[in-house]
Amino acid sequence: MINFNPLSFFQAKGKIKKVYREAKASYLNRIRFAVGMFYFGMGLSFATWASRIPDIKTALHLTEGDLGSILFALPVGQLVIMPFSGKMVTRFGSHRILIFSLIMYVLCLANLGLATTVLQLSLGLFLFGLFGNLANIAVNTQGVYTEVLFKKTIMSSFHGMWSFAGFTGALVGLGMLTLNLSPLHHFLIVGVVVLLMVAFNFKFLVRAKEKIKAKTGEKKKLFVKPDSALIWLGVIGFCSMASEGVMFDWSGVYFKDVVEAPGPLVVLGYTSFMIMMASGRFLGDGMINKFGRERVMQISGVMISAGLFTAVFLPYIIPCTIAFMLVGLGVATIVPTVYSMAGKNPTVPPGEALTIVSSVSFLGFLMGPPVIGHIAQNFGLQFSFAFIGIFGVLIAFMVSKIRTT
């Protein structure tokens, strides 16, 4: 029998030191700020790399095909570390792993600016993805612990910091280009800023370690069947991240080829999506605390489908801009909510639970854009967007089944 009621598994049982639970509100807010800065540092590092991809492509004389193949090294690095990241976070503590992995993430960013060959860039991106995934599991585990301290949903605001860092990184990149600074100097400046964030905030990370006791006489197995509740959350995350990945990679192409937006307006769709996604994440916690996770996730799924189908049937600038805004609002809270619920699973340590859910979810981000490309090549870009639009309906359906059973 398939368990359609995994929400019953997510009752918070955080094993956090008593000193945190008795702390003053001002100290808890300082913890929240510190964790938010780590999210911001991660987002800023990634956006900094993304903002200089065209310059590195030109410097290494890469074709579009060459660049596409090299960029694949980043998700490969993420996938390689995924089976181990959760266990490392559980074994050594999320605060230690987060400090270590973010420092290494910044060092890998600087190394990308030193790359002079395809091999060096590929190896650099592999390591960048590897430490990025490790930091991602650790920082989301910290987000779960902090949420337990506040006894209310705050995970969306943390992911909002990551999105805000994306805007900041893009603006800083534009400024660095104006100053004619090389990618290496750009990366070093941002790296120093992120390291300063680590130095001023690492003391305020939550120090907690989950210990799940094995049953007496039970042998430890090398491969254990994942909790079905985590798989369901991963599938919901998969649908959301597939939609998000498509918007990241194909929104500009859609506005150029389908909407036929003139000149600079080509970026209007992507910009409207990003603004609403970031705004939705900062507003999402209040909505969840007021209406509940299930209802907000249902509405979010409907908004994703409504936005994508509107873009398909009304391929004009104003309707498509509004449609992409709807999609941005739709995807804003789903992944933070899924991560928050996964981290509260009482039978699996937060780091390992987040690894399971993020592994399934990340496949959507990885597979969505290339699948769109193949569908578009055979049936057209509008048909491929309609195909992804079905994912929003699936999200609402899965949450509905969970809620009504």
Side-chain angles (χ1 to χ4, degrees):
M1 293 291 290
I2 297 176
N3 177 17
F4 273 111
N5 190 23
L7 292 186
S8 60
F9 286 89
F10 301 101
Q11 303 298 326
K13 291 186 179 180
K15 298 178 182 178
I16 298 175
K17 293 180 180 180
K18 189 177 180 181
V19 63
Y20 290 109
R21 297 185 181 277
E22 297 177 349
K24 294 180 180 179
S26 59
Y27 186 71
L28 292 180
N29 287 329
R30 182 64 180 89
I31 291 174
R32 181 176 181 177
F33 176 81
V35 175
M37 283 296 97
F38 275 85
Y39 275 91
F40 186 89
M42 286 184 60
L44 182 62
S45 299
F46 184 80
T48 298
W49 148 250
S51 69
R52 300 308 294 262
I53 290 176
D55 299 285
I56 292 175
K57 174 179 178 292
T58 301
L60 296 184
H61 307 289
L62 303 173
T63 66
E64 283 76 9
D66 293 334
L67 180 62
S69 300
I70 292 171
L71 290 178
F72 193 66
L74 195 151
V76 169
Q78 292 177 316
L79 290 171
V80 166
I81 196 63
M82 270 185 182
F84 311 102
S85 52
K87 296 184 183 300
M88 291 173 67
V89 167
T90 302
R91 173 68 178 82
F92 299 106
S94 58
H95 59 289
R96 296 189 185 93
I97 294 297
L98 178 54
I99 295 167
F100 166 74
S101 58
L102 186 55
I103 291 173
M104 294 303 298
Y105 195 51
V106 168
L107 292 177
C108 289
L109 174 66
N111 283 334
L112 292 175
L114 291 170
T116 57
T117 66
V118 169
L119 180 60
Q120 289 175 349
L121 183 59
S122 299
L123 180 59
L125 284 174
F126 175 84
L127 295 173
F128 194 58
L130 188 148
F131 287 109
N133 179 264
L134 192 59
N136 176 57
I137 299 301
V139 78
N140 278 292
T141 303
Q142 280 289 308
V144 169
Y145 288 147
T146 308
E147 194 173 63
V148 170
L149 293 177
F150 277 81
K151 300 178 182 178
K152 63 179 182 179
T153 302
I154 59 173
M155 185 66 84
S156 285
S157 64
F158 287 143
H159 285 253
M161 290 297 291
W162 192 95
S163 299
F164 178 66
F167 284 113
T168 304
L171 290 175
V172 171
L174 183 61
M176 295 295 180
L177 285 171
T178 303
L179 295 173
N180 292 319
L181 288 179
S182 68
L184 175 60
H185 291 118
H186 179 185
F187 295 169
L188 287 173
I189 291 171
V190 171
V192 170
V193 171
V194 175
L195 289 177
L196 286 174
M197 289 181 186
V198 173
F200 283 109
N201 293 288
F202 79 94
K203 291 183 179 179
F204 296 95
L205 293 177
V206 180
R207 286 161 172 76
K209 186 177 178 182
E210 289 286 341
K211 293 182 179 179
I212 305 299
K213 294 182 179 180
K215 295 179 181 179
T216 305
E218 183 180 332
K219 292 183 178 180
K220 197 171 183 180
K221 297 179 181 178
L222 182 61
F223 297 101
V224 181
K225 183 181 178 181
D227 192 311
S228 61
L230 297 176
I231 297 299
W232 277 106
L233 287 179
V235 173
I236 293 174
F238 175 95
C239 293
S240 177
M241 292 195 75
S243 305
E244 187 176 332
V246 166
M247 295 303 294
F248 275 122
D249 291 1
W250 288 95
S251 57
V253 178
Y254 196 87
F255 257 64
K256 181 179 180 180
D257 295 345
V258 178
V259 179
E260 298 181 352
L265 292 181
V266 168
V267 302
L268 185 60
Y270 176 78
T271 304
S272 62
F273 165 77
M274 286 295 295
I275 290 174
M276 296 312 292
M277 183 176 72
S279 301
R281 284 180 169 170
F282 283 115
L283 297 173
D285 290 326
M287 300 298 291
I288 291 171
N289 289 320
K290 184 175 181 179
F291 300 108
R293 289 170 172 156
E294 298 88 347
R295 183 171 296 178
V296 171
M297 289 174 71
Q298 279 183 299
I299 295 172
S300 297
V302 172
M303 291 175 72
I304 292 173
S305 292
L308 288 170
F309 288 136
T310 299
V312 169
F313 293 111
L314 296 173
Y316 310 106
I317 290 182
I318 294 178
C320 275
T321 301
I322 296 173
F324 283 17
M325 291 171 71
L326 280 175
V327 178
L329 282 174
V331 301
T333 58
I334 292 178
V335 170
T337 303
V338 164
Y339 281 8
S340 174
M341 294 169 66
K344 296 180 176 68
N345 190 300
T347 63
V348 183
E352 295 183 32
L354 286 167
T355 299
I356 294 170
V357 172
S358 65
S359 298
V360 179
S361 300
F362 181 73
L363 287 176
F365 197 82
L366 183 65
M367 295 171 58
V371 167
I372 279 290
H374 288 293
I375 295 176
Q377 185 174 357
N378 292 290
F379 302 101
L381 197 54
Q382 285 174 278
F383 183 87
S384 60
F385 266 58
F387 174 77
I388 296 297
I390 299 172
F391 285 8
V393 177
L394 289 175
I395 291 172
F397 172 76
M398 284 186 285
V399 175
S400 176
K401 293 294 293 184
I402 290 170
R403 189 181 178 199
T404 56
T405 303

